[in-house]
Amino acid sequence: MFAIGPLAFAAPLALLGLLTLPILWRLLRATPPPPRRAVFPPLRLLEDAPDDAETPHHAPWWLIVFRLLLATIVIIALARPVWQPEPEVATARPLLLVIDNGWASASSWRDMVREANFRLDLAEEAGRTAAIVFTAEDTPDAELVLGDPDAARRQLEGEEVRPWPPNRAVAAARIRQAMEDGGLSNSMRVFWLTDGLETNGDEDLAGILGPLGPVTAVLPGPGRSPLALGTPIVTPNGFAVDVQRVSSELDRTVALVATAADGRAVARTEVELGASVTSARAEIELPLDLRNRVSAIRIEGQSSAGGTQLTDDAWQRPRVGVIDAASEDGQPLLSDLHYIMRAIEPFTDARRDGLDALFDANVSALIMVDAARTDDPRVTDFVNRGGLLIRFAGPRLAARPDTLLPVQLREGGRLFGSALSWEDPQRLAPFGTDSPFAGLAIPAEATVSRQVLAEPGTASADRVWARLEDGTPLVTAMRQGEGWVVLFHVTAGPDWSDLPLTGLFPRMLRRVSALAQGGSAIPTQAGAYVIDRALDGQGRLANPPVSARPVPAQNWEQASASPTTPPGIYRLGAASAALNVLRAGDTLQALPRALPGIVYANLEAPAERRFAGPLLALALILLAIDAILALALAGRFPRLRFPRGGGAVAALVLTAGLVFAMPAVEAQEPEYLDSFELDAALDLRFGYVETGNREIDARSRAGLVGLSQQIWRRSAMEPESPMAVNVETHELVFFPILYWPITNDAPALSDAAAARVNRYIQSGGLIVFDTQDADVAVSRAGAPHPGLARVLEAIDVPPLAPVDPDHVLTKSFYLLQDFPGRVSGGRVWVEADPDGASRDGTSGVVIGANDWASAWAVDDNGQPLYPVEGGDRQREMARRFGVNLAMYALTGNYKADQVHIPALLERLGQ
């Protein structure tokens, strides 16, 4: 290969053809163009006589230059020019590609495939054999032999990213065995396309590759380095999760989204990773109800199994152990433990037993009443390892405090309402905004008559979660080790306060129990956990691979992501457990740069560019232009005549016309042709308003597809597939119904969009606004939905009222009294006085929050896509409401008119 700076030629001898250009110049000048022919009519000498232009004795200069340029391009193309050529292209060694296809390769997989195909192309051009080894295969016993590069390319096309880390030790063993069996050569050119992470077996793989020949490890670029999520950590106001990476060369903003089981986003946040930062913690604040709905936490924009954390039973329903107190068995209704169990059983897996049995059950939280007080050091160790300890005061603690407390206590306690005190029982003060109890209503009957007091100066503001009206602490908490210690300064029974007799008590315990995270979802028991749904390489739940095997319950704590135990959701009976790529304590480490015999490169480094193909294509285009010019000069195009000296300009114009003709033709589209309007107008279709959120838009489409299918089956209407509508650009009048899901961040409408929506409503259209949040609307405490308020601000919506039992919507097809969707109980609003409108007495808007699209939604096989709160019965009622909506939109108040039939018949004399 001959190189001139960064430009090289794979066949430099072809450049000798440039020496023939002077000879070609002389030949072209000596060869005149063919003479132009003209018919000589014997009788019509003056009419149709040829012009007096002379035929030159040699070709025009511009045509000679044009043909010389064509010859130059062909010669350079035959020399196979290469920009920034790869070294050692001419090596005769077979090619061995070692490719990491574990979860960390997901972000750079396309670049890795492109690089592998490039190496295979080079080997194929040189006539070399090639082989591929994948380090995360689920069947590592497959035969490994050198063969045709095209066979290796087909193998590469059929491979995909796996959801577990690579096992480089197994790959090294495969290569060693193949060499012993004769399938691989002892001298090869090796490229290791790596994910850049350190795993077990790195040195084994480097040790087997080094003696084979030159080894280049190709790393992902800084912008493609893998990101991963650590185990979520429960906080008083939600949860936190660590974002990890190995490359810290660039600033990076990472977006996280927490999703529910139905795919809906529950929360989003962003975390900044500075240029020197490899790990950052993202904090997400969520009420307990919403936090328990979270089924997965993902990194947006980088789909991988390592960028996904699944949750399980331990996340949604913590296992809480209540330490038994034998002295309280005599009067169970007066026992502190009775009130504790009644309060926590609805939202926890509560177990009342001795300390030994509770530790064997691997609980995530302990509740200790005063009568069950113990100084067992295992309790302290439990807290330090991440457990939650909830303590209640009593006479013993008041008389002799210990050290496992969030604050230092006075001895003796405090008594209200006694003959020795003038103070009345105290009420609770409103909870602070930074307290886990923020937002809870305090009943007037919740009073305290006795409490243990904190020593002055020890109850700092960050440790006090609840106070009495006089400012003394009622609930204090402290982080200890990896866990929490929470102290209620009263008893768990009604001896010291009326708090256990109110509904506030279980709500407070529920929020405190949300801190429980130390226990596993898997109790120590017999049996094996079988995978139910597995994560694929892109971090999506799918069917498990055939390589998956059950995990014995006693081995669960040691299980890690692998081909036999892929990450996903496992089940044993009714219990579920999540196995994630990164488990508690795992961190990402960069691949060592000191591996013997390895040279490192970068996927994003400038790659060689070959110009032979593009140059030959250009030569063919110029050859076609030359043929056209030659025919024109020979008079074959009598209407195409070049003025003197204008041939060169004509050639340039023709070339430019060929280049730009195609875009110009594509741009010429009749203004009156609008495929959207034609599709919407020619068939009966329902529309849904695009929100910009792909998940919500997909749910809306699936919902209207399911509703259309039900209407086909149950009525004479035959709606076609629904269409997505952009209210800012599309005309709306073609759709009888528009389904409009409203998100919290829905933007306000522009003036043009608002006018279009108002025109649609006034012309008889029906818009179904669905905020899809009836299950969590109570958290707004009566405040209007922010997104709905912004959207309706510019729309002329008349006064609204709840649907009354006699409304046409309740009887347009089915007789209904409620209108459930995925959830039920949300009120449905329509125009209060539709008779005053110009739409024949029908409402132009229906507003609700029951998430009807999720209840209607079906997949390609017609099966429901999302769970419904009330099961199949509620789904059927939701479908009936959808049919009623369609009938209402298309027939108006037809059903209401039926009540006038007797009067009409009487007037007609029948």
Side-chain angles (χ1 to χ4, degrees):
M1 181 175 288
F2 173 73
I4 305 175
L7 181 64
F9 296 91
L13 293 179
L15 295 176
L16 296 177
L18 297 175
L19 300 178
T20 64
L21 292 180
I23 300 174
L24 184 60
W25 169 271
R26 299 296 302 176
L27 289 175
L28 291 175
R29 285 186 57 83
T31 305
R36 298 180 61 184
R37 296 182 179 184
V39 177
F40 183 76
L43 300 178
R44 300 168 62 189
L45 296 178
L46 299 179
E47 184 180 5
D48 296 334
D51 58 25
D52 57 353
E54 299 178 356
T55 300
H57 68 280
H58 58 75
W61 68 267
W62 53 266
L63 183 60
I64 297 174
V65 173
F66 183 80
R67 289 174 174 172
L68 289 177
L69 175 62
L70 174 61
T72 303
I73 292 175
V74 172
I75 292 171
I76 294 177
L78 294 177
R80 294 164 58 192
V82 181
W83 184 261
Q84 293 181 332
E86 289 285 337
E88 304 182 23
V89 171
T91 182
R93 297 172 183 258
L95 172 67
L96 177 62
L97 290 176
V98 181
I99 302 178
D100 287 339
N101 62 324
W103 69 265
S105 299
S107 59
S108 55
W109 183 245
R110 291 184 179 179
D111 295 335
M112 296 172 74
V113 171
R114 174 182 52 79
E115 180 72 13
N117 280 318
F118 171 69
R119 299 297 169 186
L120 291 172
D121 290 343
L122 293 181
E124 190 172 35
E125 291 177 5
R128 301 151 54 200
T129 56
I132 293 183
V133 179
F134 296 101
T135 61
E137 283 187 301
D138 52 1
T139 55
D141 53 347
E143 185 181 13
L144 179 60
V145 294
L146 288 169
D148 185 73
D150 189 58
R153 190 179 294 109
R154 290 194 298 270
Q155 183 182 356
L156 176 64
E157 292 174 354
E159 194 55 48
E160 59 184 10
V161 177
R162 305 296 182 176
W164 47 78
N167 193 329
R168 293 166 183 156
V170 172
R174 286 189 63 203
I175 296 173
R176 184 182 293 107
Q177 186 63 43
M179 293 171 57
E180 295 175 357
D181 296 341
L184 294 181
S185 170
N186 292 326
S187 177
M188 292 183 288
R189 179 68 171 99
V190 182
F191 285 91
W192 177 11
L193 307 184
T194 176
D195 56 25
L197 297 186
E198 179 184 20
T199 63
N200 294 330
D202 295 342
E203 295 183 357
D204 294 340
L205 184 58
I208 194 66
L209 295 179
L212 298 180
V215 181
T216 300
V218 184
L219 301 166
R224 296 287 187 180
S225 60
L227 296 171
L229 293 180
T231 303
I233 302 170
V234 176
T235 62
N237 298 318
F239 65 90
V241 62
D242 291 331
V243 181
Q244 302 182 31
R245 64 174 179 173
V246 295
S247 174
S248 58
E249 299 177 9
L250 301 175
D251 293 337
R252 193 164 184 179
T253 301
V254 180
L256 305 181
V257 59
T259 58
D262 59 1
R264 294 178 58 185
V266 177
R268 283 186 174 86
T269 190
E270 291 184 351
V271 61
E272 298 289 340
L273 292 169
S276 60
V277 176
T278 58
S279 179
R281 176 161 294 184
E283 300 274 355
I284 296 181
E285 294 186 1
L286 277 180
L288 177 63
D289 289 342
L290 289 182
R291 201 214 75 180
N292 279 343
R293 291 178 179 271
V294 174
S295 64
I297 307 166
R298 291 183 170 88
I299 297 176
E300 283 191 317
Q302 180 168 308
S303 300
S304 71
T308 302
Q309 279 285 332
L310 301 176
T311 63
D312 52 23
D313 287 348
W315 170 273
Q316 298 176 355
R317 188 178 176 89
R319 178 171 291 108
V320 177
V322 180
I323 304 175
D324 202 1
S327 62
E328 296 205 349
D329 291 340
Q331 297 179 342
L333 295 181
L334 299 179
S335 167
D336 285 0
L337 297 180
H338 168 76
Y339 291 95
I340 289 290
M341 295 300 293
R342 290 289 301 272
I344 67 174
E345 280 178 343
F347 54 86
T348 67
D349 182 7
R351 301 184 177 209
R352 176 180 172 180
D353 214 328
L355 201 57
D356 293 337
L358 295 179
F359 282 140
D360 290 341
N362 200 17
V363 296
S364 56
L366 285 175
I367 296 181
M368 182 192 299
V369 299
D370 192 51
R373 175 177 172 179
T374 177
D375 295 327
D376 194 317
R378 291 179 298 172
V379 176
T380 303
D381 185 58
F382 168 79
V383 174
N384 290 333
R385 289 186 291 107
L388 167 67
L389 175 63
I390 305 174
R391 299 191 60 175
F392 287 86
R396 298 182 183 181
L397 186 63
R400 187 174 60 86
D402 54 55
T403 57
L404 193 56
L405 295 168
V407 294
Q408 186 177 350
L409 299 179
R410 294 184 187 179
E411 293 187 5
R414 179 182 183 186
L415 183 66
F416 300 106
S418 68
L420 300 178
S421 174
W422 54 267
E423 297 174 283
D424 294 326
Q426 290 285 316
R427 293 182 178 179
L428 277 66
F431 300 118
T433 56
D434 57 347
S435 168
F437 309 133
L440 293 181
I442 300 175
E445 61 271 18
T447 60
V448 175
S449 58
R450 187 173 181 179
Q451 68 175 147
V452 290
L453 292 177
E455 286 286 356
T458 63
S460 56
D462 60 324
R463 295 191 180 188
V464 179
W465 287 359
R467 297 179 184 271
L468 299 180
E469 287 183 339
D470 64 356
T472 54
L474 177 65
V475 181
T476 54
M478 176 188 68
R479 188 89 180 187
Q480 176 162 324
E482 296 296 325
W484 288 87
V485 178
V486 180
L487 172 65
F488 283 75
H489 290 233
V490 294
T491 60
D495 296 337
W496 286 20
S497 74
D498 294 328
L499 181 62
L501 303 177
T502 67
L504 176 62
F505 186 58
R507 292 196 294 270
M508 294 177 70
L509 285 177
R510 183 169 188 174
R511 294 203 177 184
V512 174
S513 299
L515 298 174
Q517 62 164 357
S520 167
I522 307 304
T524 55
Q525 56 178 302
Y529 281 77
V530 180
I531 189 166
D532 180 37
R533 300 281 286 172
L535 286 176
D536 63 11
Q538 302 299 321
R540 299 167 300 196
L541 283 173
N543 293 326
V546 295
S547 61
R549 298 292 181 267
V551 181
Q554 61 270 23
N555 297 337
W556 178 258
E557 293 298 328
Q558 291 75 41
S560 60
S562 70
T564 57
T565 55
I569 299 296
Y570 288 72
R571 296 192 180 277
L572 175 56
S576 70
L579 178 62
N580 292 296
V581 173
L582 263 65
R583 308 202 69 173
D586 292 346
T587 58
L588 300 183
Q589 300 294 331
L591 184 71
R593 297 302 179 93
L595 293 176
I598 305 295
V599 177
Y600 294 90
N602 196 303
L603 270 177
E604 295 186 359
E608 74 172 34
R609 296 173 179 265
R610 301 188 166 205
F611 297 108
L615 288 176
L616 287 175
L618 177 61
L620 288 175
I621 294 175
L622 296 180
L623 184 62
I625 296 175
D626 178 77
I628 295 173
L629 294 176
L631 291 174
L633 291 174
R636 299 300 177 90
F637 300 126
R639 295 186 179 182
L640 180 63
R641 300 183 179 182
F642 299 125
R644 287 184 189 274
V649 177
L652 292 176
V653 170
L654 183 57
T655 303
L658 289 174
V659 174
F660 294 106
M662 187 62 67
V665 170
E666 293 178 352
Q668 295 175 357
E669 183 177 347
E671 295 182 359
Y672 57 83
L673 181 60
D674 190 326
S675 60
F676 175 88
E677 294 179 354
L678 284 177
D679 290 341
L682 293 179
D683 294 296
L684 172 62
R685 299 177 187 270
F686 301 142
Y688 62 93
V689 176
E690 293 179 315
T691 64
N693 184 308
R694 288 183 296 178
E695 295 179 356
I696 295 178
D697 293 343
R699 185 183 302 112
S700 299
R701 176 175 177 78
L704 292 186
V705 167
L707 178 59
S708 299
Q709 293 176 359
Q710 294 299 322
I711 293 174
W712 265 79
R713 297 168 184 164
R714 305 179 187 214
S715 72
M717 287 190 293
E718 298 179 350
E720 297 295 331
S721 298
M723 296 180 63
V725 176
N726 185 333
V727 295
E728 297 289 344
T729 58
H730 289 153
E731 185 54 58
L732 312 178
V733 296
F734 307 105
F735 304 97
I737 294 180
L738 276 183
Y739 179 78
W740 195 330
I742 303 294
T743 59
N744 284 331
D745 57 353
L749 299 180
S750 66
D751 293 341
R756 188 176 293 110
V757 172
N758 285 326
R759 187 167 60 249
Y760 171 76
I761 294 175
Q762 293 302 321
S763 63
L766 175 64
I767 301 180
V768 181
F769 294 99
D770 190 354
T771 60
Q772 303 181 340
D773 64 344
D775 50 344
V776 296
V778 68
S779 62
R780 296 201 302 269
H785 189 283
L788 184 63
R790 281 191 294 270
V791 170
L792 296 183
E793 184 177 7
I795 301 177
D796 184 15
V797 177
L800 303 175
V803 176
D804 62 69
D806 196 42
H807 195 275
V808 180
L809 266 178
T810 66
K811 53 191 175 185
S812 58
F813 195 84
Y814 290 102
L815 296 178
L816 302 174
Q817 290 302 318
D818 54 1
F819 316 105
R822 178 182 57 84
V823 294
S824 61
R827 304 183 76 176
V828 180
W829 300 78
V830 293
E831 292 184 24
D833 184 21
D835 292 332
S838 59
R839 298 183 302 276
D840 195 24
T842 60
S843 177
V845 296
V846 174
I847 301 177
N850 289 335
D851 192 4
W852 292 298
S854 293
W856 300 334
V858 296
D859 59 17
D860 294 338
N861 298 320
Q863 298 301 312
L865 275 176
Y866 305 105
V868 170
E869 184 180 72
D872 291 340
R873 173 62 179 172
Q874 181 168 315
R875 190 186 306 277
E876 172 61 22
M877 299 307 293
R879 289 170 174 169
R880 292 186 180 187
F881 173 61
V883 175
N884 276 22
L885 273 176
M887 291 295 181
Y888 182 65
L890 292 170
T891 64
N893 63 353
Y894 161 75
K895 286 286 186 177
D897 289 341
Q898 303 305 299
V899 299
H900 302 298
I901 288 180
L904 293 175
L905 293 176
E906 182 180 354
R907 292 184 60 184
L908 292 173
Q910 299 180 8

